[in-house]
Amino acid sequence: MNLTASVDILVNITKGKQNMHEKIIAALKASGKPLTLEQLINSLEKGEDAKPAITELLNEHKILLTRKRRLALPEHLGLVFGRIQGHAAGFGFFLPKDGSRDAFVPVEAMHGAMHNDEVYVRYTAQLSRNGSPEACVMFIAKRALTRLVGTFEHDDSAGGYVVPDDGRIPVDMLIPRDKTKKAKAGDKVVAKIIDYPDGRRPMLGQVCEILGNKHTAGTDVLSIIRQYELPEAFSKAAQKGAKLTAQQVQNDERITRENLLEKLVFTIDGPDAKDFDDALSLERLENGNLYLGVHIADVAHYVKEGGGLDKDALLRGTSVYLADRVIPMLPEELSNGICSLNPGEDRLALSCFMEIDSNARVLRHRLSETLICSKYRLVYGDVSALLAGDEAQRQKYADLVPVLSELEQLAAKLKERRHKRGSIDFDIAEADLELDETGRPTSLKRADRGVSESIIEECMLLANETVAEHMYDLKSPFLYRVHEQPESEKLLELNTFLQTLGYSIRNLKDVQPRNIQKVLYAAKDTKEENIINKVVLRAMQKARYSEKCLGHFGLAYTRYCHFTAPIRRYPDLFCHRIIKLMLHGGLNEKQTAKLNERLSAIAQSTSKSERTAMEAERAVEELKKCEYMKERIGESFAGIISGVVSFGFFAELDNTAEGLVRASTLDDDYYVHDEKNYRMVGRNSGKSYRLGDEVYVRVSAVDMVSRNIELELEDSGKPHKKGRG
């Protein structure tokens, strides 16, 4: 059988499945009511095997099996499918899969559903306090958790119980006496769920791993690693693959490569970086234009599709950078070894060359498999100091001064050009957290960001956009980084908030990136700048990966991908594979069909891995911030009100830690929540505490279990704003 015939068969099988799905759904719609399996099959054409398609539709939650064993469409039963977002107080929020408006789920309507469970709900006639609909969980389609991480506590009569670390799980797990695995009170444990709560009966489980006492160094971070199910150990196949990978470039690999060993190539990274994905080169051409080379580690050369290394990399999706450790996507032999662009070592790269004119426009570009050798391993701080005029650094890197100066000017032009298109830059304060050898935080401050970070950012953005344009023009299957337009409801809520601070987004019906960019520019260097940046960011859609080129709203790009970090991101590695296939003659029909079949699943898997990694990183950072502030109980700090709720307000301190000032501690008046204007207002005095106001607070308590910092207001001597009615 020839290749074309094979592809035709594959396409026909796919179409056949899709047609059967459509026929089944159409038959159920036509019936207007649930059908037995026999009735449904009889309504279809004779001779068609519908059972596999019915099973697939059930697994995809597109049809349901009722208690009377009848097949039905969700709308027949008045049900909507989605996910539960839990809350420590026991209630939840229903997030519909179709992207429609969220709904509030009261405690009594949760019916045993827990955080991240996939459920079917029925909307009720009730509305929540903010006007959103209420829903009731009718049944749970899929449980998110099979185990949980928490602190074991003794109960002599029954054995014990586990208090979950995740505050969104509001119930403790009971552990029978013979299921404790001899855990002691105060131990951090991983416990398997035996019976789920159902609203009447408790959650029951058994201890399957003891991580150590909650006060032992490192146990806290290990608990978060287990909570988010981050894989620490590599599979035997991946370990074997890593050990068999040569740690030097082989002679036969050099022959087919564009040789750049004599070029001035260098890396710029943080002081603690060990895996170097990207390097730069820059030359001035005879016509006056710049020739920028962005050289990316050729990980795809070493990590072959379908092998042990590849399977582990796809499972992880990304490297995870925690405060005291890194969980890499690839074993150290690759991530820090042969794939890393270490100084003075020959390395294989995939390079993007761009000719750039005086207006920072890319006139021409090309992609090439190259052989490079990084001449310098530069550090952000040193490069920023050099460009600021530090004489010691300028002498140390004398031959790089002209190139780095050119890069500084180029980055400024690229940024200006990007901003003219409407690209949004969120200037959110990041934490610079230092730990000692035991993992105890010794310093917490706002991270400094210099011109060197901007150089790397602009060069990587340009390369990512250029590669996406290149692959789109070739009409090749590809994996894009997409960021869709904000939802209209969230924009309305955002605009209401901004108006309380004197800002406004124009043209809400057809909002463009520049409309939001103007608000951030207006807030620049004001006391509320960081708060506005955070709230605006929360109103945006989440960036994700997709096989469809949907553009990037935040960056104001019509085409964008991730190309520059294949050591730590699987999408970049997968993109490299496709690029290399195109460089070696293009894709045949079979390869195109295979890619089209896989891209959607890879996009969904890697997007999910990215979200999990970000949540784990945030959880560890919050934990270490709490640990740092616990040693500073009684000390006072300046801050900005970053959130207002019915029971008080949150304040973000100058060092980026955030804590709660409870309304009950404001003893000079009785304060009520003015939800519409994002403030607390004194009933008698009219004094208000509004989002964005400066405050002076004292740390009163820190709860390490809930990761909450309690603050009390200090009398700073500065009058607060009077209420405006």
Side-chain angles (χ1 to χ4, degrees):
M1 185 181 295
N2 63 32
L3 176 62
T4 304
S6 299
V7 173
D8 287 342
I9 289 171
L10 178 64
V11 171
N12 288 334
I13 289 171
T14 305
K15 283 182 178 177
K17 279 187 176 182
Q18 190 62 37
N19 289 339
M20 180 55 71
H21 286 187
E22 291 171 358
K23 287 179 181 178
I24 291 167
I25 291 172
L28 287 169
K29 281 183 178 178
S31 76
K33 62 181 182 179
L35 300 174
T36 65
L37 177 61
E38 184 179 0
Q39 288 171 332
L40 178 57
I41 290 174
N42 287 339
S43 70
L44 302 170
E45 293 180 21
K46 290 184 178 181
E48 291 184 318
D49 184 8
K51 289 183 180 180
I54 290 170
T55 301
E56 289 174 6
L57 288 170
L58 284 168
N59 290 336
E60 293 169 4
H61 309 296
K62 291 178 180 176
I63 63 174
L64 306 176
L65 189 64
T66 69
R67 290 178 181 176
K68 293 183 178 180
R69 310 296 293 173
R70 292 174 182 268
L71 296 161
L73 295 171
E75 54 262 37
H76 285 161
L77 309 175
L79 301 180
V80 181
F81 178 71
R83 181 174 61 85
I84 287 291
Q85 181 177 295
H87 190 277
F91 58 80
F93 297 93
F94 173 67
L95 313 179
K97 189 176 182 181
D98 63 12
S100 56
R101 192 176 183 187
D102 299 354
F104 176 71
V105 185
V107 175
E108 65 275 12
M110 289 287 282
H111 295 159
M114 299 193 299
H115 179 65
N116 266 340
D117 283 350
E118 293 180 357
V119 300
Y120 282 96
V121 306
R122 182 173 286 131
Y123 290 109
T124 69
Q126 300 295 318
L127 294 178
S128 64
R129 284 189 304 174
N130 67 356
S132 64
E134 284 194 7
C136 177
V137 174
M138 300 311 294
F139 67 91
I140 298 161
K142 184 180 180 182
R143 289 287 189 177
L145 290 176
T146 57
R147 60 180 194 166
L148 59 80
V149 179
T151 305
F152 182 81
E153 299 295 347
H154 269 305
D155 182 343
D156 292 335
S157 62
Y161 58 95
V162 175
V163 181
D165 282 354
D166 190 340
R168 295 166 299 190
I169 308 296
V171 294
D172 296 342
M173 173 191 279
L174 295 180
I175 307 292
R177 189 175 298 171
D178 61 340
K179 305 290 185 183
T180 65
K181 207 172 183 178
K182 298 183 179 179
K184 300 181 180 65
D187 279 349
K188 286 286 184 183
V189 301
V190 180
K192 179 184 177 182
I193 300 174
I194 298 174
D195 287 323
Y196 291 92
D198 63 1
R200 292 173 297 169
R201 289 188 293 271
M203 179 162 45
L204 190 67
Q206 67 179 49
V207 175
C208 53
E209 184 182 5
I210 299 171
L211 304 177
N213 187 272
K214 62 183 179 181
H215 298 300
T216 303
T219 301
D220 51 0
V221 176
L222 183 59
S223 298
I224 291 173
I225 290 171
R226 291 291 188 274
Q227 179 184 333
Y228 287 94
E229 299 184 348
L230 302 176
E232 286 187 287
F234 287 96
S235 67
K236 289 182 179 179
Q239 292 177 41
K240 182 180 179 181
K243 287 178 181 177
L244 292 175
T245 303
Q247 289 300 302
Q248 288 85 34
V249 176
Q250 303 299 297
N251 288 333
D252 61 330
E253 296 169 330
R254 297 170 182 268
I255 298 169
T256 57
R257 296 271 165 166
E258 182 176 347
N259 193 321
L260 304 179
L261 294 178
E262 301 306 314
K263 296 287 185 183
L264 180 56
V265 175
F266 52 89
T267 62
I268 310 177
D269 288 276
D272 300 322
K274 294 178 181 177
D275 52 343
F276 307 116
D277 285 283
D278 55 89
L280 297 177
S281 63
L282 188 71
E283 302 170 64
R284 178 70 69 175
L285 300 176
E286 290 183 4
N287 61 9
N289 292 334
L290 289 172
Y291 197 57
L292 173 66
V294 176
H295 313 284
I296 308 301
D298 190 356
V299 180
H301 179 83
Y302 297 100
V303 181
K304 302 301 182 183
E305 187 171 8
L309 287 167
D310 184 51
K311 289 178 180 177
D312 274 36
L314 177 56
L315 176 68
R316 292 169 180 239
T318 180
S319 295
V320 186
Y321 295 86
L322 306 176
D324 65 343
R325 71 194 79 183
V326 176
I327 301 177
M329 186 180 79
L330 297 169
E332 190 174 340
E333 291 91 338
L334 283 86
S335 61
N336 297 357
I338 187 61
C339 291
S340 183
L341 307 182
N342 300 328
E345 298 180 8
D346 293 356
R347 289 290 183 261
L348 304 182
L350 190 57
S351 299
C352 177
F353 298 97
M354 293 160 282
E355 183 179 343
I356 304 169
D357 69 11
S358 58
N359 295 315
R361 293 179 302 181
V362 177
L363 303 179
R364 279 170 288 279
H365 73 274
R366 66 184 182 91
L367 303 176
S368 177
E369 292 177 312
T370 58
L371 176 65
I372 70 168
C373 179
S374 174
K375 302 297 188 291
Y376 294 94
R377 180 265 197 266
L378 302 177
V379 176
Y380 286 131
D382 292 347
V383 173
S384 293
L386 180 152
L387 293 170
D390 185 297
E391 196 55 42
Q393 293 296 338
R394 292 179 75 85
Q395 288 182 13
K396 183 177 179 181
Y397 300 111
D399 57 337
L400 279 175
V401 170
V403 176
L404 292 173
S405 297
E406 292 263 36
L407 276 171
E408 180 183 19
Q409 294 172 42
L410 173 61
K413 288 181 180 180
L414 288 170
K415 189 171 186 178
E416 181 183 7
R417 184 174 176 81
R418 199 163 48 81
H419 285 184
K420 283 181 179 178
R421 292 199 303 191
S423 181
I424 304 168
D425 282 343
F426 290 100
D427 192 6
I428 295 173
E430 295 183 5
D432 182 358
L433 191 62
E434 293 182 8
L435 310 178
D436 64 16
E437 62 278 359
T438 67
R440 185 180 67 87
T442 57
S443 173
L444 176 63
K445 59 185 179 182
R446 288 175 183 255
D448 292 327
R449 181 178 167 82
V451 66
S452 56
E453 286 92 343
S454 183
I455 288 172
I456 293 299
E457 180 181 29
E458 294 302 328
C459 290
M460 298 306 122
L461 287 172
L462 185 65
N464 285 334
E465 182 193 20
T466 301
V467 169
E469 292 272 8
H470 180 92
M471 299 304 289
Y472 183 84
D473 289 343
L474 290 176
K475 296 181 172 57
S476 167
F478 205 55
L479 196 60
Y480 294 94
R481 180 69 169 177
V482 303
H483 184 227
E484 291 150 290
Q485 186 170 329
E487 295 172 359
S488 56
E489 286 185 6
K490 289 192 175 181
L491 280 176
L492 284 170
E493 291 175 7
L494 171 63
N495 212 31
T496 301
F497 155 70
L498 291 172
Q499 286 168 352
T500 67
L501 298 178
Y503 300 87
S504 180
I505 300 173
R506 295 184 179 181
N507 198 25
L508 280 181
K509 290 184 179 179
D510 184 28
V511 70
Q512 299 299 314
R514 61 173 53 88
N515 300 130
I516 293 171
Q517 180 198 67
K518 287 177 181 177
V519 172
L520 300 184
Y521 278 166
K524 190 76 175 171
D525 298 326
T526 64
K527 59 184 175 61
E528 64 265 17
E529 176 186 8
N530 197 47
I531 302 304
I532 287 177
N533 271 270
K534 280 189 172 182
V535 176
V536 170
L537 181 59
R538 283 199 291 266
M540 296 291 103
Q541 297 258 40
K542 296 283 190 297
R544 60 186 178 89
Y545 297 103
S546 175
E547 74 282 9
K548 298 175 183 176
C549 187
L550 304 175
H552 197 293
F553 180 86
L555 293 172
Y557 288 155
T558 54
R559 299 173 187 97
Y560 190 68
C561 73
H562 273 171
F563 161 77
T564 55
I567 291 177
R568 59 185 177 88
R569 291 191 306 228
Y570 192 85
D572 305 52
L573 168 58
F574 199 78
C575 285
H576 277 219
R577 286 199 182 116
I578 301 174
I579 292 166
K580 285 162 70 70
L581 285 170
M582 299 302 287
L583 290 175
H584 287 276
L587 298 169
N588 59 37
E589 290 183 76
K590 184 176 181 180
Q591 289 168 325
T592 300
K594 183 181 177 182
L595 281 172
N596 285 329
E597 198 174 84
R598 293 194 64 202
L599 277 170
S600 178
I602 289 173
Q604 292 180 44
S605 172
T606 52
S607 295
K608 183 180 179 181
S609 298
E610 179 189 39
R611 289 192 299 271
T612 300
M614 289 175 67
E615 288 180 15
E617 289 167 356
R618 192 182 304 119
V620 170
E621 185 175 288
E622 288 175 358
L623 177 76
K624 292 303 175 182
K625 284 182 179 180
C626 284
E627 192 176 346
Y628 179 83
M629 297 305 293
K630 190 173 184 179
E631 295 184 10
R632 284 148 186 84
I633 292 175
E635 294 183 21
S636 298
F637 296 84
I640 298 286
I641 295 180
S642 55
V644 182
V645 290
S646 59
F647 47 86
F649 59 81
F650 292 92
E652 183 180 289
L653 311 184
D654 286 346
N655 62 11
T656 74
E658 187 176 53
L660 173 66
V661 177
R662 295 188 181 275
S664 58
T665 66
L666 303 174
D667 54 10
D668 64 329
D669 201 345
Y670 180 79
Y671 286 85
V672 293
H673 182 209
D674 179 1
E675 186 176 3
K676 183 179 178 181
N677 293 301
Y678 299 87
R679 60 179 183 168
M680 302 291 293
V681 183
R683 180 174 290 175
N684 300 310
S685 64
K687 183 193 293 185
S688 73
Y689 295 97
R690 191 181 66 169
L691 200 69
D693 280 353
E694 295 175 293
V695 290
Y696 200 59
V697 294
R698 181 179 66 256
V699 183
S700 59
V702 175
D703 186 339
M704 293 301 298
V705 176
S706 63
R707 300 172 201 154
N708 288 329
I709 299 169
E710 297 280 342
L711 305 172
E712 290 183 4
L713 201 65
E714 288 272 26
D715 183 7
S716 63
K718 296 179 181 178
H720 288 277
K721 295 178 181 178
K722 294 287 184 179
R724 295 197 292 256

